[in-house]
Structures are given as C-alpha cells and as structure tokens.
Amino acid sequence: MTFRNYVCWKTERVSHVMDTEALQTSEAVFMATHHPIRMRRIDGSSANATRLIRQEQFQEIFLDANRTHMLALIQGAAGTGKSHLVRWLWATI
C-alpha cells in the first residue's frame, strides 16, 4: 500500500500530533503516536552491570507484586523521553 497523495490527518491537527511535550497531547493522540522506548537498566550500585531493556520489561519490574517498594531514577538528556516514559506508564497501568 502506498500513501502517496493520501492525507493521514487534518492540517489543523498537525501541531497537536507533532507536539514534542509528552504531557500536552490528549491520551488518544499520545497512544496513537507512541513509539516503544528502549532503555538501559543499571542493576545495583555497579555501573558495569547495565543491560538494555524494553519499556514492557521496565513496567513488569515496576509492578512486581513481590517488591515492597520501587524506586526508579529516570535520567537522560533533554528530549530523550523521560516524561514520555512516565506518561506511557500512567496510561497503561
């Protein structure tokens, strides 16, 4: 299927869909435009014990009923998806 000459959205809605602030769009637009996030998990206090994980893996760890508490430090440069990850967690829990 080709999308040549096919309009996927209304021109007046482009600024809402392309909004770079994760917390500013409606939940429907956010979920429709969401792209999975890969992140690096640091286990314990050793920075050498890192591994790449998917957002779903993070969510499973975050929601693990066997934990008495969960503390997660989400860090990264501006625009790397920190707020996006938090919003995705909120929307899917």
Side-chain angles (χ1 to χ4, degrees):
M1 173 178 210
T2 179
F3 287 98
R4 176 180 271 167
N5 298 323
Y6 182 81
V7 178
C8 297
W9 57 73
K10 296 177 182 174
T11 304
E12 63 272 11
R13 295 284 300 156
V14 171
S15 64
H16 298 284
V17 173
M18 303 305 285
D19 194 329
T20 59
E21 294 293 325
L23 303 177
Q24 300 301 316
T25 61
S26 70
E27 187 166 324
V29 169
F30 176 82
M31 293 304 287
T33 58
H34 170 72
H35 187 271
I37 301 166
R38 288 180 49 132
M39 61 198 85
R40 179 163 287 129
R41 178 179 181 196
I42 301 173
D43 294 315
S45 60
S46 172
N48 295 330
T50 65
R51 63 187 172 107
L52 291 177
I53 63 172
R54 296 181 328 276
Q55 64 188 16
E56 293 83 7
Q57 290 171 301
F58 177 78
Q59 187 178 46
E60 286 176 22
I61 295 165
F62 187 77
L63 296 175
D64 185 353
N66 295 320
R67 293 180 180 269
T68 55
H69 66 278
M70 172 64 174
L71 175 65
L73 171 65
I74 302 170
Q75 67 182 54
T80 57
K82 299 175 299 291
S83 296
H84 187 97
L85 174 63
V86 172
R87 173 124 188 230
W88 177 82
L89 283 170
W90 178 259
T92 57
I93 293 176

